[in-house]
Amino acid sequence: MASGAGVSAGRLSQREAEDGFYNDTSEFLAELSGGSLHMGYWESPSDGATMAEASRRLTGLMAERIRIGPGDRVLDIGCGTGAPAIQLARSTGATVVGITNSPVQARLATEKAEAAGVADRVEFRCEDAVGLGFPAESFDAVWLVESIMAMPDRLAVLRQAAAVLKPGGRLALTDFLERTAPAAGTAGSAAPQYAVLLGKLMPLQDYPPLLDEAGLVPVEITDVSDRTVARTLDCMRRKLEDDRESLTLRFGAQVVEQFDSIVLRLQAVGFGYGVVVAERPGR
């Protein structure tokens, strides 16, 4: 766990650990992941895209799936430090409202939107994903790019998302996946030392009934693990090795050393990565 997060996830509630973790490490995580707090996407093993390019490509693929354009409103649940929302607004002309439980992330995201010249169309707030304060049917699309696994209750979040979606509106998300049967007694949970990053893993095949219970109709449920996970973690490892001196100067030796250990452990977990797209019926 990164410096300043205090104690391990095992001694804090999952929510408290996440709040502290992302408050303390958001800028460092963004540095490791090419500017966005999510995986990259590579078309093939020979694809030479950088981490930053592959990360932007994943954002672009998710933007295509929600089918929005100028004048549409998008809710970004778990907006991180704002790069995906800013890219979405620029590429589509849509208006985006991003929410996060981290005041540090909300501040960094707001600063990025202002620097990018899109602050009139991109807004960031510090809010709870399971207590959305938006009117019913007020968004044309909702997305959760690599954030739903950090929520304590996926179903509760999906129900909230469905409630604020207009009929015919789409939801798109990415999630970390359980690809092998969990060991006895683990109930599919990641080990405590990286639980804040992975959350509680679930198999992709559990999504259709979950979406149905939330009042959403599945459109796409795809395992993209082979195009995302290994290359992303490899890029992070190389960044930690190649830029160790500058990263240490900026963030401190303890943060760099801890993420060395975290990335190595994540490579050993064998988790997957999925894309899920659904629609609210009734257009």
Side-chain angles (χ1 to χ4, degrees):
M1 181 170 290
S3 173
V7 294
S8 73
R11 280 183 267 165
L12 287 175
S13 71
Q14 179 72 11
R15 181 56 177 274
E16 288 171 330
E18 288 157 7
D19 288 355
F21 181 83
Y22 289 113
N23 280 337
D24 293 338
T25 65
S26 291
E27 289 181 277
F28 187 77
L29 282 169
E31 188 75 18
L32 286 188
S33 53
S36 299
L37 301 182
H38 64 64
M39 294 274 171
Y41 184 95
W42 287 264
E43 298 285 357
S44 69
S46 61
D47 184 350
T50 65
M51 181 66 220
E53 291 166 343
S55 180
R56 289 193 295 269
R57 181 185 291 156
L58 179 63
T59 299
L61 291 172
M62 298 300 290
E64 291 173 4
R65 282 159 168 77
I66 55 175
R67 301 187 310 185
I68 47 96
D72 288 334
R73 295 186 76 228
V74 181
L75 177 62
D76 180 355
I77 299 177
C79 60
T81 54
I86 291 167
Q87 181 179 331
L88 177 65
R90 279 176 156 174
S91 64
T92 67
T95 297
V96 186
V97 178
I99 65 168
T100 172
N101 60 16
S102 164
V104 172
Q105 287 188 345
R107 174 181 57 79
L108 292 171
T110 298
E111 291 171 358
K112 285 185 179 181
E114 291 170 352
V118 295
D120 59 327
R121 289 189 291 114
V122 184
E123 173 191 359
F124 298 102
R125 306 180 185 180
C126 194
E127 290 196 18
D128 191 337
V130 293
L132 297 178
F134 302 103
E137 301 182 6
S138 56
F139 289 94
D140 300 281
V142 177
W143 74 358
L144 299 95
V145 181
E146 214 160 298
S147 61
I148 196 166
M149 69 285 295
M151 311 294 178
D153 186 340
R154 283 179 175 86
L155 178 58
V157 175
L158 290 173
R159 282 174 168 160
Q160 289 277 311
V164 300
L165 263 179
K166 295 177 182 178
R170 280 193 169 189
L171 171 142
L173 64 85
T174 62
D175 199 356
F176 292 141
L177 306 176
E178 174 191 296
R179 300 191 86 189
T180 57
T186 63
S189 297
Q193 60 264 45
Y194 33 77
V196 174
L197 281 172
L198 292 183
K200 184 175 181 180
L201 303 178
M202 65 176 279
L204 194 59
Q205 61 264 30
D206 284 1
Y207 259 101
L210 196 67
L211 294 170
D212 180 67
E213 196 169 351
L216 297 164
V217 178
V219 173
E220 175 188 352
I221 299 176
T222 307
D223 188 327
V224 295
S225 305
D226 295 341
R227 299 189 179 199
T228 53
V229 177
R231 289 285 294 273
T232 294
L233 295 177
D234 284 344
C235 285
M236 288 182 172
R237 289 283 299 171
R238 288 199 301 271
K239 180 77 172 177
L240 285 164
E241 292 168 2
D242 296 344
D243 298 342
R244 180 171 300 274
E245 184 176 350
S246 62
L247 290 172
T248 299
L249 286 172
R250 289 179 61 192
F251 301 102
Q254 185 179 2
V255 172
V256 175
E257 290 168 5
Q258 286 173 332
F259 269 89
D260 255 339
S261 177
I262 287 172
V263 172
L264 186 63
R265 288 168 177 167
L266 289 177
Q267 288 178 312
V269 171
F271 66 95
Y273 197 76
V275 172
V276 176
V277 183
E279 191 170 282
R280 178 174 172 177
R283 179 183 299 178

